[in-house]
């Protein structure tokens, strides 16, 4: 929604529910906040001087099967260890789950194809042991360094990613397309796999190329470019179906492995354009529409339910700690 301010400037209201943050981590200019230091090769698909919106190509058909994988995590409790030397280390007891939805586009059907749940005690303590309380177990995941409490939640990402890889590997078939909710990170070796980034934090392109992105119509994408970062790869932006809004409304970034040829990356970009928009959510159903894809939204709800009751687990962990002290 737009409207005039007293100075006559236009403003936009992000369609996302504020409880979920914003679809774009915006700076004063209304785009991704932090200019990235990554080297960008914008000449992959078209010369940078010829950049323009790319439409759906008529000879590209959506795959018969699309797999969408996602994971959720939750901190069940913060803990502190008591070391023999009188010192102490912080830790977190975390639960996490991963799942995959199989969408058969030919039949128009979607089903939950697999889920897995994991738990862990994340700490730098050299003496920490697995926490076991009845049927609940939190295996120790020892982190490196001093293990500051503020950095421990990030340590959950590695085991969660491994769980996502395992659950998706179990259901893959030849010719399917795997869409990972979030950056690919260590999953760049997986075949026919896309990373789907729905919140834009960094500005990778210069002003002229960014103008191509913000000028995209729904169902269009920008040309493929390449990022020279530690997790570098091919990338492109596309705009999902959206009824007006801010310059970045409905824009997502998609990425694929740097190990692919340029032709293979462009093929996946074309495939994403005929596939992803059909899963876009609508504002009256999802507070993060249209970027939060419909199968992902349903999967997130199911996975959060599988983590168990947070209050009950906190009580279980508290009881286990008291038992250890005795």
């Amino acid at each position: 929604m737009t409207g005039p301010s007293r100075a006559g400037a236009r403003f936009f209201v992000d369609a996302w529910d504020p409880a979920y943050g914003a679809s774009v981590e915006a700076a004063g200019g209304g785009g991704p906040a932090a200019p990235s230091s990554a080297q960008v090769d914008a000449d992959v698909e078209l010369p940078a001087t010829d950049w323009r919106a790319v439409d759906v190509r008529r000879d590209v058909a959506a795959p018969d099967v699309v797999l969408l994988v996602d994971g959720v995590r939750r901190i069940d409790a913060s803990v502190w260890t008591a070391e023999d030397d009188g010192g102490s280390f912080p830790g977190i007891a975390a639960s996490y789950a991963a799942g995959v939805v199989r969408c058969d586009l030919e039949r128009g059907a979607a089903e939950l194809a697999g889920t897995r749940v994991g738990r862990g005690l994340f700490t730098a303590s050299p003496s920490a042991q697995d926490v076991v309380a009845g049927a609940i177990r939190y295996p120790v995941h020892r982190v490196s360094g001093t293990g500051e409490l503020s950095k421990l939640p990030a340590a959950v990402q590695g085991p969660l990613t491994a769980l996502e890889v395992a659950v998706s590997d179990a259901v893959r078939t030849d010719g399917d397309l795997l869409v990972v909710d979030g950056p690919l990170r260590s999953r760049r070796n997986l075949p026919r796999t896309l990373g789907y980034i729905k919140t834009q934090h960094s500005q990778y392109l210069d002003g002229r190329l960014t103008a191509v992105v913000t000028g995209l119509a729904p169902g269009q994408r920008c040309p493929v470019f390449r990022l020279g970062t530690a997790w570098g790869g091919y990338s492109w932006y596309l705009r999902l179906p959206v009824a007006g809004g801010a310059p970045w409304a409905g824009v997502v970034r998609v990425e694929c492995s740097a190990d692919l040829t340029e032709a293979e990356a462009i093929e996946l970009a074309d495939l994403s354009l005929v596939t992803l928009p059909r899963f876009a959510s609508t504002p009256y159903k999802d507070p993060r529409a249209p970027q939060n894809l419909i199968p992902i939204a349903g999967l997130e709800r199911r996975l959060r339910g599988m983590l168990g009751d947070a209050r009950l687990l906190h009580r279980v962990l508290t009881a286990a700690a008291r038992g250890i002290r005795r």
Side-chain angles (χ1 to χ4, degrees):
M1 182 174 69
T2 67
S5 70
R6 282 183 292 181
R10 302 175 71 205
F11 68 91
F12 300 88
V13 176
D14 197 317
W16 282 25
D17 185 323
Y20 292 92
S23 57
V24 174
E25 296 296 331
S36 173
S37 59
Q39 293 183 339
V40 175
D41 177 7
D43 298 323
V44 173
E45 183 173 5
L46 291 174
T49 54
D50 295 335
W51 259 44
R52 60 182 180 274
V54 178
D55 291 300
V56 171
R57 304 188 195 279
R58 294 183 178 180
D59 59 339
V60 176
D64 292 337
V65 174
V66 179
L67 302 175
L68 296 102
V69 63
D70 193 17
V72 299
R73 56 187 177 180
R74 186 188 66 207
I75 297 175
D76 296 330
S78 297
V79 303
W80 293 87
T81 67
E83 305 297 323
D84 291 338
D85 62 2
S88 183
F89 287 88
I92 57 172
S95 297
Y96 48 95
V100 59
V101 177
R102 184 182 189 276
C103 298
D104 189 325
L105 301 186
E106 195 171 30
R107 294 192 301 116
E111 61 182 356
L112 186 63
T115 58
R116 297 191 186 185
V117 176
R119 306 188 198 275
L121 174 63
F122 296 81
T123 180
S125 167
S127 65
Q129 298 179 353
D130 295 359
V131 175
V132 181
I136 303 297
R137 175 183 290 271
Y138 289 81
V140 171
H141 291 261
R142 223 170 301 280
V143 303
S144 59
T146 56
E148 297 96 324
L149 183 60
S150 62
K151 297 182 179 180
L152 291 177
V156 184
Q157 185 60 52
L160 176 55
T161 298
L163 209 62
E164 291 177 358
V165 171
V167 76
S168 57
D169 280 351
V171 298
R172 294 213 70 174
T173 57
D174 291 340
D176 63 18
L177 178 68
L178 177 64
V179 179
V180 173
D181 190 53
L184 286 178
R185 295 191 178 95
S186 58
R187 294 165 286 200
R188 295 182 180 275
N189 61 322
L190 302 179
R192 287 174 64 85
T193 300
L194 300 176
Y196 177 83
I197 299 93
K198 55 179 175 275
T199 302
Q200 309 310 316
H201 298 278
S202 299
Q203 182 175 328
Y204 294 107
L205 305 173
D206 64 29
R208 184 173 55 82
L209 301 184
T210 295
V212 174
V213 176
T214 57
L216 294 173
Q220 291 182 327
R221 67 172 176 86
C222 78
V224 174
F225 56 95
R226 185 164 181 162
L227 294 174
T229 63
W231 295 108
Y234 296 102
S235 193
W236 58 94
Y237 293 96
L238 65 82
R239 193 185 297 273
L240 299 172
V242 63
W248 287 84
V251 173
V252 298
R253 185 172 66 84
V254 189
E255 61 182 23
C256 64
S257 173
D259 295 335
L260 301 175
T261 65
E262 292 183 354
E264 289 170 331
I266 294 169
E267 180 182 346
L268 281 176
D270 286 335
L271 201 59
S272 73
L273 196 57
V274 299
T275 303
L276 296 178
R278 67 178 61 200
F279 297 122
S281 53
T282 54
Y284 74 92
K285 288 186 177 181
D286 195 305
R288 289 176 287 172
Q291 290 96 322
N292 201 39
L293 304 181
I294 292 172
I296 293 294
L299 178 59
E300 286 178 341
R301 288 192 295 270
R302 176 68 68 89
L303 293 177
R304 288 196 179 97
M306 294 178 64
L307 295 181
D309 186 283
R311 292 171 296 181
L312 177 60
L313 288 170
H314 192 276
R315 289 199 296 269
V316 166
L317 288 163
T318 301
R322 289 171 178 165
I324 291 172
R325 283 201 298 272
R326 288 197 297 266

